[in-house]
Amino acid sequence: MRLAFMGTPDFAVPALHALHAAGHEIAVVYSQPPRPAGRGQAVRAQPVHRAAEVLGIPVRTPTRLRADHAEHAFFRDLRLDAAVVAAYGLILPKAMLRAPRLGCLNIHASLLPRWRGAAPIQSAILAGDAESGVTIMQMDEGLDTGAMLLSDRIALTAETTATSLHDGLAAMGARLIVAALDDSGDDPGIVAVPQPAEGATYAARLTREDGRIDWTRDAAAIDRQVRALTPWPGAFTTLDGTVLKIGATAPAERRAGIAPGCAQDDRLTIACGTGALRILRLQRPGRAMMDAEAFLRGQAITAGTRLGS
């Protein structure tokens, strides 16, 4: 099929490679514009942009699409069979949604209608969901409201992190989109199923403040926060006014008489509202993430030390 691929972050790269390897003609790739990144803030092309250049596919990087009628015309004139969208980050206007013969298919990292929106991977972990997955969706003008074509699921455990779930769902999405396009045509075997009205939830865009740890919460909820928000935006607390990113924790026994947010011992075991957590990995400002043992060699934490405001 003759396709356009529209994606920006690492999540979308496996799907681009899978479609290319399957022999589809990818006429163009759309990605968000290059932006400053890294400690030096050098301007850098987005992951999908870089992957497309390696594959020799032309790349377009408009900053907006809604009122860009020249871009709408360019897209229409490509005479596409379909467009594949994966975490692109820009809303497609009606003119572009309707341009391809088979419309636009979205690779969404959740089991729709649960976790429509910007941060489905993190939201599933934060909520303590038992499973997550990928849905291939026929796009419409709503926010992730289109009919569902294919889906698959993956179990979430107490060890699941945003990174591990991201990588698993990216690979799953690549497999599913190839299957969906292989079965598209005049008499496809895949049936588009409208999303049910009930059960819809929304995954709002994350901010840095979402990472602030409230030690009065349940230990299991804080652990999910750490696993969901590492590496970005990062779960964090403070120690004597210094921000510490928390990279990994483990459940521990709660000692009586210790206030939430206080260390129970000299091994970074922190009392929570219910239960306790031992901090396993953490990061000082301007430093790399390190094991708790290495941190404690440079800064002793004694019982009673308070974290957080």
Side-chain angles (χ1 to χ4, degrees):
M1 287 190 182
R2 181 171 168 82
L3 306 175
F5 187 87
M6 313 178 85
T8 297
D10 288 315
F11 176 82
V13 172
L16 174 61
H17 282 298
L19 292 168
H20 183 268
H24 292 286
E25 178 192 357
I26 303 175
V28 67
V29 163
Y30 280 77
S31 185
Q32 292 223 19
R35 291 192 176 96
R39 295 183 64 180
Q41 290 294 285
V43 175
R44 184 182 307 172
Q46 304 289 349
V48 165
H49 187 158
R50 298 196 300 270
E53 288 183 333
V54 171
L55 295 173
I57 304 170
V59 180
R60 296 177 74 84
T61 59
T63 56
R64 56 182 58 86
L65 292 173
R66 187 180 299 277
D68 191 340
H69 300 293
E71 195 66 52
H72 303 173
F74 173 86
F75 194 73
R76 181 190 63 241
D77 292 344
L78 290 170
R79 301 191 180 279
L80 302 168
D81 292 307
V84 173
V85 182
Y88 177 36
L90 292 181
I91 295 174
L92 302 190
K94 183 189 298 185
M96 297 181 75
L97 289 171
R98 294 183 175 180
R101 180 175 64 88
L102 298 172
C104 300
L105 306 185
N106 179 248
I107 305 170
H108 188 73
S110 82
L111 296 172
L112 291 170
R114 188 159 177 79
W115 302 129
R116 297 169 177 169
I121 291 174
Q122 296 89 344
S123 295
I125 297 173
L126 283 168
D129 289 358
E131 61 182 4
S132 182
V134 167
T135 304
I136 305 299
M137 176 191 70
Q138 185 81 50
M139 295 179 68
D140 60 17
E141 293 181 73
L143 177 61
D144 300 327
T145 55
M148 302 177 292
L149 302 176
L150 280 177
S151 66
D152 199 0
R153 58 195 64 224
I154 185 171
L156 304 185
T157 72
E159 286 73 46
T160 300
T161 65
T163 297
S164 65
L165 184 55
H166 169 282
D167 294 351
L169 296 185
M172 182 181 288
R175 172 174 56 81
L176 288 179
I177 192 61
V178 171
L181 289 174
D182 283 349
D183 209 31
S184 296
D186 295 332
D187 186 24
I190 296 173
V191 177
V193 178
Q195 292 188 39
E198 66 279 0
T201 55
Y202 291 88
R205 191 173 301 277
L206 296 170
T207 68
R208 181 180 181 278
E209 193 60 24
D210 290 316
R212 184 182 298 275
I213 295 173
D214 176 0
W215 294 104
T216 66
R217 299 177 68 209
D218 177 71
I222 297 173
D223 178 68
R224 292 195 301 269
Q225 181 183 13
V226 172
R227 290 188 286 113
L229 302 185
T230 300
W232 194 90
F236 68 93
T237 188
T238 56
L239 174 62
D240 296 331
T242 299
V243 174
L244 299 177
K245 280 193 174 182
I246 308 300
T249 59
E253 184 177 348
R254 177 74 149 82
R255 292 186 182 177
I258 306 294
C262 290
Q264 297 185 164
D265 53 28
D266 59 0
R267 300 176 58 199
L268 280 175
T269 306
I270 311 301
C272 305
T274 303
L277 290 173
R278 176 162 292 144
I279 298 174
L280 303 180
R281 290 180 59 76
L282 67 167
Q283 181 180 9
R284 294 188 182 96
R287 303 284 294 276
M289 190 71 71
M290 66 182 72
D291 292 338
E293 291 80 0
F295 177 89
L296 291 171
R297 285 196 292 271
Q299 181 169 352
I301 304 293
T302 58
T305 300
R306 179 177 290 276
L307 301 182
S309 55

